[in-house]
Amino acid sequence: MARNKYPEETINQILTVALNLFIRKGYEQTSIQDIINELGGLTKGAIYHHFKSKEEIMQAVIDHMFKGVDEMLSGIRDDTELNGREKLRKISRVSLDNPAQNEMASAAPNLLRNPKLLAAQIEHMVEKAIPVYIQPIIEQGMRDGSIRTDYPRELSELLLVLTNVWLNPAVIQASPEMMLRKLRLFDEVLKGLGLDLFDEQMFQRYEELFRLSAREDSKEN
């Protein structure tokens, strides 16, 4: 049994180390040797047994990052007990409460210096998250009356792009106070478009993440 488990554990170890390095140093500045140095005894041969190149490691990192996101989104999308707005609120709460959010905020990655990670995030939003998960939920909300809009696709894009890019301090750095002002404006924009998404608990959680990211960023500078 242990022999069957070992390859999967090794792969997960490689992906975890690689992701941390890509975040800290950037993809271009990270070498295979850097990854080996962080793996505590694993050889270059062990890495190349599973991955042919750094590019292949990067693709595996991206697939691993989004696997859990897709599982969460599909589970909420298919929940027959919730209306459309409730589903979007649940997605927001689950995403904000994910312990990985604290880890990402603490790492203070600058995604403008990590274009491959940023591009992968945007590609996932455009090709999968928006059309497969968010737009169908908004269309359900239009049918059940919990969301009022004539633009389901456009609202889906606005929601994810502003949340993951404009409101992401890893992309556009700003003080916690400025990020909160942006969040309040975003809330007003969404309400004007027929979507009442945020509550005070979400605002408080966002503020916590903004301040955590700002503290870590000040340490680096």
Side-chain angles (χ1 to χ4, degrees):
M1 292 292 290
R3 289 178 60 187
N4 291 334
K5 282 183 172 181
Y6 180 72
E8 183 177 346
E9 292 171 356
T10 300
I11 290 170
N12 287 337
Q13 185 183 2
I14 293 169
L15 296 182
T16 299
V17 166
L19 174 59
N20 288 335
L21 283 169
F22 294 157
I23 288 173
R24 291 203 322 264
K25 298 183 65 174
Y27 172 80
E28 299 295 343
Q29 288 71 40
T30 299
S31 67
I32 291 287
Q33 189 60 50
D34 290 329
I35 297 172
I36 293 168
N37 293 343
E38 297 278 336
L39 281 171
L42 249 121
T43 65
K44 184 176 290 189
I47 289 182
Y48 282 115
H49 177 72
H50 298 289
F51 302 102
K52 295 177 183 176
S53 64
K54 187 175 73 167
E55 181 68 34
E56 196 170 291
I57 294 175
M58 181 64 171
Q59 187 56 54
V61 164
I62 291 168
D63 293 343
H64 185 71
M65 285 172 60
F66 292 125
K67 181 182 178 184
V69 173
D70 289 340
E71 290 173 351
M72 180 270 287
L73 290 174
S74 63
I76 295 175
R77 178 199 60 192
D78 299 336
D79 188 340
T80 59
E81 300 297 317
L82 302 176
N83 65 32
R85 187 181 69 174
E86 289 168 341
K87 288 181 180 182
L88 290 181
R89 281 191 165 183
K90 185 172 181 179
I91 288 171
S92 296
R93 289 195 182 100
V94 170
S95 299
L96 287 170
D97 291 338
N98 185 344
Q101 288 284 4
N102 283 28
E103 184 179 342
M104 290 295 287
S106 297
N110 186 326
L111 291 180
L112 294 181
R113 294 199 297 264
N114 290 272
K116 281 187 175 287
L117 287 175
L118 180 58
Q121 182 174 337
I122 293 172
E123 182 179 30
H124 180 265
M125 283 193 299
V126 172
E127 295 186 358
K128 196 161 189 183
I130 290 168
V132 177
Y133 304 116
I134 304 303
Q135 185 175 341
I137 290 174
I138 288 178
E139 288 171 347
Q140 178 199 333
M142 293 167 64
R143 293 191 298 271
D144 64 37
S146 61
I147 299 172
R148 303 178 308 280
T149 183
D150 295 324
Y151 304 98
R153 172 71 188 199
E154 293 78 8
L155 181 56
S156 303
E157 291 179 357
L158 179 79
L159 183 60
L160 287 199
V161 171
L162 292 189
T163 300
N164 291 286
V165 179
W166 189 62
L167 279 174
N168 186 348
V171 180
I172 303 176
Q173 294 185 344
S175 68
E177 291 75 21
M178 180 59 71
M179 295 301 296
L180 284 170
R181 283 178 59 84
K182 291 167 67 172
L183 183 61
R184 294 285 181 181
L185 173 61
F186 185 38
D187 180 45
E188 290 186 19
V189 169
L190 289 180
K191 286 177 179 175
L193 295 173
L195 176 57
D196 185 3
L197 181 62
F198 297 110
D199 58 26
E200 282 305 314
Q201 185 177 357
M202 291 186 203
F203 283 123
Q204 291 171 10
R205 177 59 175 149
Y206 265 112
E207 181 176 10
E208 179 184 345
L209 292 173
F210 292 153
R211 295 195 181 282
L212 181 58
S213 177
R215 283 200 302 271
E216 295 303 321
D217 187 55
S218 66
K219 287 179 186 177
E220 292 198 355
N221 295 330

